[in-house]
């Protein structure tokens, strides 16, 4: 059971017209992978650093890739640094994997048959499993979804999770998403100021 895959399915299951920031989703997917690797005992958190354990064979190609990407030399890597590194472009990686597995198809507009379109989930066991976890208010999935705006924001401490390592993962995801939003806002302000200079404002 992959929390990252379930999060991606939940994100794709949003009603048309709603959209998410892809960078936020990528960070949350990396956090979901960290949670799954914790559960599988592929890593442990010592303070803020990821300490890898011997690599098992996981039943998920993307989780295998995540496990293989862990830094295995002392002093190891902080959870925050790994989240940013692993999260780069991760939403596209998961979308491509779901497409290749037949979990997702593309629905094109009849008015613009050769332009764009939107991803549509197939009726698969993966979709039903993600829907079950979502309907069951599974706390980690809900907290990660809240971090990217799929549902109302929820702090890690409010999730009902009691495991300190899992709480650390959720908190780092939340902080990273907030940091990314601050960067976007700062760039928007800088772009607006630059545009004003060009207009002579």
């Amino acid at each position: 059971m992959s929390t990252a895959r379930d999060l991606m399915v939940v994100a794709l299951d949003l009603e048309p017209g709603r959209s998410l920031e892809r960078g936020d989703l990528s960070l949350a997917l990396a956090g979901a992978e960290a949670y799954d690797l914790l559960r599988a005992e592929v890593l442990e958190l010592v303070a803020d650093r990821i300490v890898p354990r011997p690599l098992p064979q996981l039943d998920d190609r993307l989780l295998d890739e995540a496990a293989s990407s862990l830094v295995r030399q002392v002093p190891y890597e902080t959870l925050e640094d790994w989240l940013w590194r692993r999260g780069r472009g991760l939403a596209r990686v998961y979308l491509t994997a779901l497409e290749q597995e037949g979990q997702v198809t593309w629905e094109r507009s009849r008015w613009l048959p050769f332009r764009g379109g939107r991803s549509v989930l197939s009726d698969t066991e993966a979709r039903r499993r993600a829907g079950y976890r979502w309907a069951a208010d599974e706390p980690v999935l809900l907290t990660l979804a809240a971090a990217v705006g799929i549902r109302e924001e929820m702090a890690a401490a409010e999730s009902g999770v009691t495991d300190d390592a899992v709480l650390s993962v959720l908190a780092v995801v939340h902080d990273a998403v907030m940091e990314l939003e601050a960067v976007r806002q700062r760039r928007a302000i800088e772009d607006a100021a630059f545009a004003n200079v060009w207009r002579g404002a």
Side-chain angles (χ1 to χ4, degrees), residues 24-45:
D24 295 354
L25 181 56
S26 291
L27 287 168
L29 288 167
E33 288 184 336
Y35 167 67
D36 286 336
L37 294 177
L38 270 170
R39 282 195 312 168
E41 299 184 347
V42 175
L43 63 83
E44 62 180 322
L45 290 180

Side-chain angles (χ1 to χ4, degrees), residues 66-77:
S68 297
S69 76
L70 298 174
V71 173
R72 296 185 173 271
Q73 291 81 36
V74 175
Y76 305 116
E77 190 173 24

